[in-house]
Amino acid sequence: MARPAPRPDAAGLVLLVATTIGWGLNWPAMKLLLAELPVLSTRAAHGMLGCSVLLAVALLRRESLAVPAALWPRLLVASLLNVTAWMGLASFALLWLSAAEATIVCYTMPVWAVLMAWAILGERPGRARIAGLLLAMGGLSLLVLGQGLAVGLDKLPGVALGLGSAVLFSLGTVVTKRWPLGLPPTAGAVWQVGVGIAPLAALALVFDPPAFGALSVQGWGLIAYGGVFALGLCYLSWFAALRRLPASLASLGTLLTPMVGVAGAALVLGEPFGWREATALGLTLSGVALAARG
């Protein structure tokens, strides 16, 4: 007999809201930081800080960090898709897109996960999921071309990078579901972040030497926020929320992230938020919600 899904509790809901707020605010924070530090150096610094936080928690919990030899291929694939591709491509997308636009594009992840699950897991999408995909694509089209073809073409590199990060992260999610890592939750996060950030750190040393000495106090604060909080503590609160909430509720709860990101970009960066951004956000979120529920 199948075990019933866990009933949501107040602590789980608080953890979920805290996670989505932390992740959402990291988009405008990243945009601000990129004015002081190159992309690769920014993500390398975030990754090393986040990995350190996760490692400290794993040691406090006395979770085993041992990785069986047979699991290394899975770990490498999951790390490259869930961390290297996601953090790298999504960050570069901010060079062409506003923080609000990048948030909307990158958080089409659940839609692509539907298609990946169909191809890899044999989970055929129903009408609601197909309708959700069409809605989300309509939102993206409005976001890119709503200000005219020339402006839209200027943003295409950012859109391509953002979609690439979303597609590859979705692939990583489905692949991990098909071939689970089998590691303790925090230890698994330590290894994924550590292994996934290594290529970005190596590329930063070669092509993007960090100039941390020139960082302002605000820059150091943004690095601390992105590494310790958004990448470290928010991952822990996400795992804790998943243990307390039904998976469907937790997944839908992540839709708060782009809403927080768009609002934060408008408030912190003064980015415009007119009918085009509002309609694109509404279409994309509606599409993702349909895809997740259908």
Side-chain angles (χ1 to χ4, degrees):
M1 180 180 295
R3 296 176 60 185
R7 298 179 63 185
D9 60 18
L13 293 173
V14 169
L15 287 165
L16 178 61
V17 171
T19 300
T20 55
I21 290 175
W23 283 347
L25 291 178
N26 196 44
W27 288 93
M30 273 287 298
K31 189 73 173 181
L32 283 173
L33 187 55
L34 288 178
E36 299 191 36
L37 203 63
V39 174
L40 292 171
S41 297
T42 296
R43 294 320 261 164
H46 283 165
M48 288 186 287
L49 273 177
C51 188
S52 299
V53 171
L54 293 168
L55 177 60
V57 174
L59 293 175
L60 286 174
R61 291 179 172 176
R62 298 186 178 182
E63 290 187 7
S64 173
L65 294 170
V67 179
L71 288 182
W72 271 105
R74 298 184 191 181
L75 177 60
L76 289 173
V77 171
S79 301
L80 290 173
L81 293 173
N82 293 332
V83 179
T84 309
W86 167 251
M87 293 180 65
L89 297 180
S91 300
F92 274 106
L94 284 166
L95 298 180
W96 284 272
L97 303 176
S98 69
E101 291 168 337
T103 307
I104 294 171
V105 173
C106 291
Y107 271 85
T108 57
M109 294 179 296
V111 174
W112 309 117
V114 169
L115 299 178
M116 298 291 178
W118 186 8
I120 296 174
L121 305 178
E123 297 178 0
R124 185 180 180 87
R127 293 180 179 177
R129 290 186 177 177
I130 293 174
L133 176 60
L134 295 175
L135 276 175
M137 294 306 297
L140 290 177
S141 299
L142 177 62
L143 192 67
V144 175
L145 302 176
Q147 291 183 330
L149 182 60
V151 176
L153 291 177
D154 288 342
K155 294 178 181 292
L156 277 183
V159 173
L161 289 166
L163 285 178
S165 69
V167 169
L168 291 175
F169 186 88
S170 300
L171 178 60
T173 300
V174 174
V175 166
T176 302
K177 183 177 179 180
R178 177 66 178 83
W179 296 284
L181 290 177
L183 299 174
T186 310
V190 170
W191 278 111
Q192 285 191 67
V193 174
V195 172
I197 207 65
L200 299 179
L203 289 172
L205 290 175
V206 176
F207 300 106
D208 214 10
F212 292 115
L215 276 179
S216 66
V217 173
Q218 174 182 274
W220 283 111
L222 293 171
I223 286 180
Y225 175 82
V228 175
F229 191 69
L231 189 56
L233 298 179
C234 280
Y235 267 94
L236 295 177
S237 62
W238 170 245
F239 293 139
L242 282 178
R243 289 195 297 269
R244 292 170 170 83
L245 299 174
S248 58
L249 176 58
S251 298
L252 288 174
T254 61
L255 299 184
L256 291 172
T257 301
M259 299 177 73
V260 172
V262 170
L267 293 174
V268 176
L269 304 176
E271 292 184 359
F273 186 71
W275 72 267
R276 183 179 67 95
E277 290 82 7
T279 305
L281 179 62
L283 286 172
T284 303
L285 290 181
S286 299
V288 171
L290 273 175
R293 294 174 65 89

